[in-house]
Amino acid sequence: MTSLQTSPPTPVADAALAASARGLTRTYGRGDTLVSALRGVDLDLPTGRFTAIMGPSGSGKSTLMHCLAGLDQPTGGTVSVAGQPLESLDDDALTRFRRDHVGFVFQAFNLLPMLTAEQNIWLPTELAGRPRADHRGRFDHIVATLGLTDRLTHRPAELSGGQQQRVAIARALLTAPAIVFADEPTGNLDSTSSAEVLSFLRGSVRELGQTVVMVTHEVDAAGYADDVVVLADGQVTHHLHDPSRADLVAALAGRSA
Ligand code: ADP
């Protein structure tokens, strides 16, 4: 069996599409309690864009993100990330693929409390057995851009919520994954910290060519994105490119602008 610690990065086949889904369905339960969380989603997310996934509570946003990220298995349909069909990977290969090509930012930051900011940022790279030297330049750039240079020796409890989320973003971006999934990344932040985090995510797309997919229910947060996917009742109702706020509000209200 291949060790997760030492295996080289799994290759990716296609850089043009960061993620795509065809006929994606996900049901939970059965019989009387059957819930169709996703009902035939077709979606292409190009590389180098910042996409927000929006929709009412229960519309399937989290389920879609988890299926695209290989954290949840769809009931039907296909998902590819960077050209790699996820259904063709067994559990070990999927874990390695996520480790090598997918970054995550969560609402609750998910930092390890006993490690410093710097140790938290390096952790996934070290778990993958990668030499720090390969990533040192990017580390310095990301840490400086996120304003974390003076905070590297602090533990999460000694950092504000906004600083903790910036550490989590630095951790997600360090290995330049094919795609970063951010699940309500500003859900626990005040408006100033939210604006900082969203500006940085947008900047990582513009300046580092990062692909970011963010689930959010906040129109203001989605305003930082290039594209917005609107879900209703498990289906994509709109896929808007550079929408105006009016277009976005109309789409969320179930109208065309
Ligand atoms: P959103 O993120 O837009 O709020 P979700 O993807 O969490 O929506 O949920 C979509 C639907 O699937 C909802 O009806 C929800 O109750 C249902 N659902 C989600 N996860 C589960 C689960 N583990 N078991 C049963 N139903 C679930």
Side-chain angles (χ1 to χ4, degrees), residues 13 15 28 53 58 61-62 66 75 92 140 142 165 169 182 184 195 211 222 230 234:
Y28 294 106
I53 299 177
K61 302 183 294 298
S62 302
H66 288 147
T75 315
D92 278 355
D140 291 341
I142 290 172
Q165 193 60 303
I169 291 171
E184 300 274 6
T211 305
V230 179

Side-chain angles (χ1 to χ4, degrees), residues 140-156:
D140 291 341
H141 175 70
I142 290 172
V143 162
T145 310
L146 281 163
L148 290 169
T149 310
D150 297 342
R151 296 284 180 275
L152 290 176
T153 58
H154 294 226
R155 290 194 166 71

Side-chain angles (χ1 to χ4, degrees), residues 28 35 37 56-63:
Y28 294 106
V35 175
S57 179
S59 58
K61 302 183 294 298
S62 302
T63 305

Side-chain angles (χ1 to χ4, degrees), residues 6 30 77 93 111 120 138 178 198:
T6 55
R30 54 175 57 189
L111 301 175
N120 268 288
R138 190 172 165 94
L198 292 163

Side-chain angles (χ1 to χ4, degrees), residues 37-43 52-56 59-61 64 228-241 247-257:
L38 296 177
R39 301 188 303 142
V41 169
D42 295 324
L43 190 61
I53 299 177
M54 298 202 75
S59 58
K61 302 183 294 298
L64 175 60
V228 182
V229 173
V230 179
L231 288 183
D233 205 13
Q235 293 183 309
V236 174
T237 60
H238 300 77
H239 192 166
L240 307 169
H241 305 288
D247 287 345
L248 182 52
V249 169
L252 289 169
R255 312 186 302 266
S256 41

Side-chain angles (χ1 to χ4, degrees), residues 116-137:
T116 65
E118 176 160 15
Q119 290 166 334
N120 268 288
I121 295 169
W122 281 113
L123 188 65
T125 315
E126 291 191 332
L127 286 176
R130 309 274 174 74
R132 279 195 186 200
D134 292 357
H135 300 278
R136 174 57 71 184

Side-chain angles (χ1 to χ4, degrees), residues 47-130:
T47 295
R49 305 280 290 178
F50 184 6
T51 303
I53 299 177
M54 298 202 75
S57 179
S59 58
K61 302 183 294 298
S62 302
T63 305
L64 175 60
M65 197 192 91
H66 288 147
C67 288
L68 291 175
L71 292 171
D72 188 12
Q73 261 202 329
T75 315
T78 58
V79 173
S80 294
V81 173
Q84 169 66 54
L86 298 189
E87 64 275 8
S88 66
L89 302 175
D90 64 21
D91 282 353
D92 278 355
L94 185 59
T95 301
R96 280 200 302 279
F97 185 84
R98 273 200 312 265
R99 183 200 67 194
D100 294 336
H101 302 297
V102 182
F104 293 98
V105 177
F106 299 98
Q107 180 173 353
F109 318 138
N110 292 16
L111 301 175
L112 290 183
M114 69 293 263
L115 299 184
T116 65
E118 176 160 15
Q119 290 166 334
N120 268 288
I121 295 169
W122 281 113
L123 188 65
T125 315
E126 291 191 332
L127 286 176
R130 309 274 174 74

